[in-house]
Amino acid sequence: MVSLLTIALAQCIVTISLVYLRMQSVNQTLMKPPNHYKDKLLNAITGCTVHRKLFSWWKLGSVRRELLLRALDVRNFSNEETNNLIDNMLKDPRELEHMKETLKSDSVPRRTLFGYFHPFCNAGGGGEKVLWKAVETTLAFDPNIIVLIYTGDCDSTGSEILENVQNRFDYKFDTSRICFIFLKYRYLVDSKTWPHFTLIGQALGSIILTIEAILKCPPDIWCDTMGYPFGYPWVWHLLRIPIVTYTHFPVISSDMLNKLSHQPRSLKNMGKQVYWRLFMKYYQHIGNYITIATTNSSWTNDHISRIWRQCKTHVIFPPCSTEKLVNYEKESSVRLVRKNQAIVLAQFRPEKRHRLIIKEYSKYLKSATYDDIPKLIFIGSTRSDTDREYVEELKRYAYQHLKIPQEHFEIMTDLPYDDIKKMLWTSTYGINAMWNEHFGIAVVEYIAGGLIPIVHGSAGPLFDIVIDNVGFFFLDPSDPDYKETHSILGFGTLCDAFKEVSYLNDADKKKLSDIAIRIALTKFSDNKFDGKWIDVVLSKVLH
């Protein structure tokens, strides 16, 4: 009851605030620095006054913005160590002298602050790969662009984050034009913070986090590459700037609503339906504030275009660095030979459906009438004790419960990326069993490595990746929409797919492998992402 009252009160506050903002021209207030700010800064720099608490907390962002527009190295104006605007500048004599001169002038360099809102920018996953490739492309597009990274990774420094990006993704930047704005309220968008009413709790949390970002430094362009849309109205009302969104998956979708409607009728389910439908209504309303909407796949784009009908949506496939994978064989010092093995490249999480793969593989083993059976290998990272226990459960299920011989099944955890690339180029098949995988970067890695994909017939793998008859699809009776999709698509089970690929000869495999590599290069390369990001986003918002 307390949670309901809290949420209702928060909603009332948000609604009243938005009405107030419609009546006030606050965007000029947040962008405009206080009167005589240059005199105050000069006096503090030259030691005429104490440089602590020169400005009100809600004006610090506008002053930081002015300093960034003038800066030689924008890293000097991050709030990494302190929120004080003078401390970091005093450590860089070159920046200090430059600021003394430029603050005496009335002219401000024509630069653009491009703000990327990505609270988990140091996570190292596919979403972060999109972020940092977009940053690299944006900085290369125009030397007058400064990139702001709004992040909650307060346990790392900006230089540490950029070093991780270099090691993980091999992207290179002009780091003097990247300024990190660290946010302290990131925990408010963590699902663990909201054990009940998670959707609306995270939505309210993202609003607070968005406002914190704006107050710490208002940008000229707001780009959300992680998926926190409920802050967009606040960005619009407070700043009146273009809003760009890259959506990996919808916060709530028609699939979720349909799935709930098929559950047994009860008071709890009826209440949940009302809650979700009201939430969807407001989610649809947010489309009014978006300038450019981009998505990661056809499946996501189909859902988002039906939700945000007010704006045109564009598909920009994630950058998958397929150029590097395709060239791995040429750059390898040894000759790579493909073995009769099928790999599953996925994080060890239940939604990746490892148990289903093991079960279907066991059925296939029992029905096989020949000796040349592909070995099944799971490859993935373990992030926690929970993941490691999940791996042990899979081993017990395979070896003890289903009696799969150890020579036919293996699990490899936490392999270095070079070893993963070698496994891609020395295997024959790649399996993905996730239902409604929004995109499927692992499947792209399969085809870039010349593997024959065996994938679930849904979402990204079905509509975007495994095309031109380059692979094999399957469905499973445990799929939430199995009855509808099976009647339309007619795909068999994973066991059936195993049997089907067993009849491929070497010529067939080579032909499919060559087609797969061509698709990987033409659709999912980093260069392809560059071109689309420039055409769809940068050329339109940077005038």
Side-chain angles (χ1 to χ4, degrees):
M1 188 67 181
V2 175
S3 297
L4 281 170
L5 289 173
T6 303
I7 291 170
L9 179 61
Q11 283 181 300
C12 289
I13 293 171
V14 169
T15 303
I16 293 169
S17 301
L18 283 174
V19 171
Y20 173 77
L21 289 174
R22 284 182 181 275
M23 299 166 14
Q24 304 294 322
S25 182
V26 295
N27 59 310
Q28 292 300 316
T29 304
L30 289 179
M31 289 283 198
K32 185 178 179 182
N35 295 330
H36 310 299
Y37 80 97
K38 289 192 285 186
D39 294 336
K40 289 184 179 181
L41 287 171
L42 283 169
N43 288 335
I45 290 172
T46 55
C48 297
T49 60
V50 179
H51 67 265
R52 301 286 174 183
K53 296 183 179 178
L54 289 177
F55 308 103
S56 302
W57 63 270
W58 63 285
K59 278 294 186 180
L60 279 174
S62 61
V63 178
R64 176 177 282 114
R65 172 186 168 81
E66 289 294 318
L67 293 174
L68 287 171
L69 292 173
R70 292 173 162 83
L72 288 175
D73 189 335
V74 301
R75 291 173 292 186
N76 289 318
F77 302 100
S78 169
N79 64 334
E80 184 175 301
E81 298 178 3
T82 173
N83 207 35
N84 189 281
L85 295 169
I86 307 297
D87 286 348
N88 287 344
M89 185 166 47
L90 291 174
K91 297 176 184 177
D92 187 341
R94 185 165 165 264
E95 188 74 76
L96 188 62
E97 291 304 314
H98 173 74
M99 275 300 164
K100 285 180 182 179
E101 294 301 317
T102 191
L103 286 171
K104 294 174 184 177
S105 171
D106 291 332
S107 63
V108 180
R110 296 185 62 182
R111 304 171 92 178
T112 301
L113 302 188
F114 203 115
Y116 283 92
F117 187 72
H118 202 107
F120 295 85
C121 78
N122 200 30
E128 288 66 55
K129 189 174 177 67
V130 170
L131 163 69
W132 292 112
K133 186 56 187 170
V135 168
E136 184 186 57
T137 306
T138 302
L139 289 172
F141 183 74
D142 188 340
N144 293 314
I145 292 176
I146 293 168
V147 164
L148 305 178
I149 304 292
Y150 298 102
T151 179
D153 292 300
C154 299
D155 56 344
S156 301
T157 65
S159 58
E160 288 172 346
I161 293 172
L162 290 175
E163 184 179 355
N164 288 338
V165 172
Q166 170 70 31
N167 292 335
R168 289 168 181 162
F169 306 129
D170 194 28
Y171 293 151
K172 297 176 176 62
F173 316 98
D174 176 0
T175 55
S176 68
R177 290 192 285 138
I178 299 177
C179 180
F180 286 88
I181 304 297
F182 290 89
L183 311 175
K184 65 180 181 179
Y185 295 116
R186 187 179 71 175
Y187 69 91
L188 292 175
V189 297
D190 192 332
S191 58
K192 295 176 183 176
T193 306
W194 309 95
H196 306 291
F197 297 98
T198 306
L199 284 176
I200 198 167
Q202 287 182 303
L204 292 171
S206 68
I207 291 171
I208 294 171
L209 202 62
T210 298
I211 294 172
E212 181 189 3
I214 290 171
L215 290 175
K216 286 185 172 175
C217 189
D220 295 305
I221 297 164
W222 182 269
C223 183
D224 173 23
T225 49
M226 195 161 184
Y228 292 107
F230 295 91
Y232 301 166
W234 290 82
V235 175
W236 172 250
H237 288 300
L238 289 172
L239 302 178
R240 296 291 200 277
I241 60 174
I243 296 172
V244 179
T245 175
Y246 187 94
T247 304
H248 297 272
F249 54 89
V251 176
I252 188 170
S253 66
S254 56
D255 286 353
M256 292 171 64
L257 295 174
N258 293 336
K259 186 178 177 181
L260 188 63
S261 65
H262 289 126
Q263 292 182 1
R265 291 181 63 85
S266 66
L267 188 61
K268 180 180 178 180
N269 283 342
M270 289 172 65
K272 197 171 184 179
Q273 280 192 46
V274 173
Y275 165 44
W276 279 14
R277 292 190 183 281
L278 288 174
F279 193 85
M280 173 64 92
K281 285 290 183 184
Y282 190 66
Y283 189 30
Q284 291 170 332
H285 170 71
I286 285 171
N288 291 304
Y289 303 97
I290 298 170
T291 308
I292 298 174
T294 63
T295 63
N296 69 335
S297 68
S298 299
W299 183 90
T300 304
N301 198 71
D302 177 60
H303 283 272
I304 290 297
S305 63
R306 284 185 277 134
I307 294 170
W308 293 336
R309 296 177 181 176
Q310 310 93 318
C311 56
K312 184 179 178 181
T313 58
H314 308 264
V315 177
I316 302 180
F317 295 124
C320 301
S321 300
T322 52
E323 304 99 319
K324 297 172 185 176
L325 272 173
V326 168
N327 291 327
Y328 177 76
E329 184 184 33
K330 296 177 183 177
E331 297 169 358
S332 179
S333 57
V334 296
R335 183 172 176 269
L336 301 174
V337 178
R338 293 201 183 273
K339 303 173 184 176
N340 189 23
Q341 57 192 28
I343 65 171
V344 179
L345 186 59
Q347 289 181 332
F348 286 106
R349 305 199 313 261
E351 60 265 32
K352 298 298 183 179
R353 302 173 93 182
H354 294 90
R355 285 178 66 92
L356 170 64
I357 298 171
I358 294 172
K359 182 188 70 174
E360 292 297 304
Y361 182 68
S362 175
K363 290 181 182 177
Y364 165 65
L365 287 178
K366 292 173 182 176
S367 63
T369 57
Y370 41 85
D371 297 328
D372 192 19
I373 296 171
K375 180 179 181 180
L376 179 63
I377 302 174
F378 287 174
I379 302 172
S381 59
T382 53
R383 303 157 299 168
S384 63
D385 289 339
T386 303
D387 289 353
R388 286 182 277 277
E389 176 55 33
Y390 178 60
V391 169
E392 294 305 313
E393 287 178 7
L394 294 176
K395 289 179 180 178
R396 289 192 292 269
Y397 182 61
Y399 297 137
Q400 298 175 21
H401 183 69
L402 295 177
K403 308 298 182 184
I404 296 177
Q406 292 196 14
E407 64 267 22
H408 285 315
F409 176 64
E410 184 178 0
I411 295 181
M412 298 179 175
T413 60
D414 304 311
L415 287 183
Y417 190 55
D418 279 343
D419 290 350
I420 292 175
K421 287 191 286 188
K422 185 176 181 181
M423 289 298 297
L424 287 167
W425 274 100
T426 55
S427 301
T428 303
Y429 310 104
I431 301 172
N432 184 288
M434 188 173 176
W435 174 75
N436 270 356
E437 177 92 79
H438 307 113
F439 178 63
I441 194 167
V443 182
V444 173
E445 291 179 315
Y446 293 159
I447 64 174
L451 296 181
I452 298 168
I454 305 171
V455 298
H456 191 273
S458 62
L462 175 65
F463 297 118
D464 295 321
I465 305 172
V466 185
I467 59 174
D468 294 345
N469 297 315
V470 76
F472 299 83
F473 295 105
F474 64 88
L475 299 173
D476 192 81
S478 63
D479 299 339
D481 57 354
Y482 177 74
K483 289 183 179 179
E484 304 96 300
T485 53
H486 182 261
S487 63
I488 296 171
L489 300 173
F491 298 143
T493 64
L494 177 54
C495 178
D496 297 327
F498 274 126
K499 293 176 182 177
E500 194 172 356
V501 300
S502 297
Y503 294 105
L504 295 174
N505 57 40
D506 290 342
D508 293 332
K509 294 175 185 176
K510 180 67 168 60
K511 180 180 178 181
L512 291 175
S513 180
D514 291 343
I515 296 173
I517 290 172
R518 175 180 56 78
I519 294 169
L521 281 175
T522 55
K523 289 189 71 173
F524 306 113
S525 67
D526 284 2
N527 288 335
K528 189 71 173 180
F529 178 89
D530 280 345
K532 291 285 285 186
W533 192 254
I534 290 170
D535 291 344
V536 174
V537 178
L538 300 181
S539 62
K540 291 182 172 59
V541 296
L542 295 169
H543 301 297

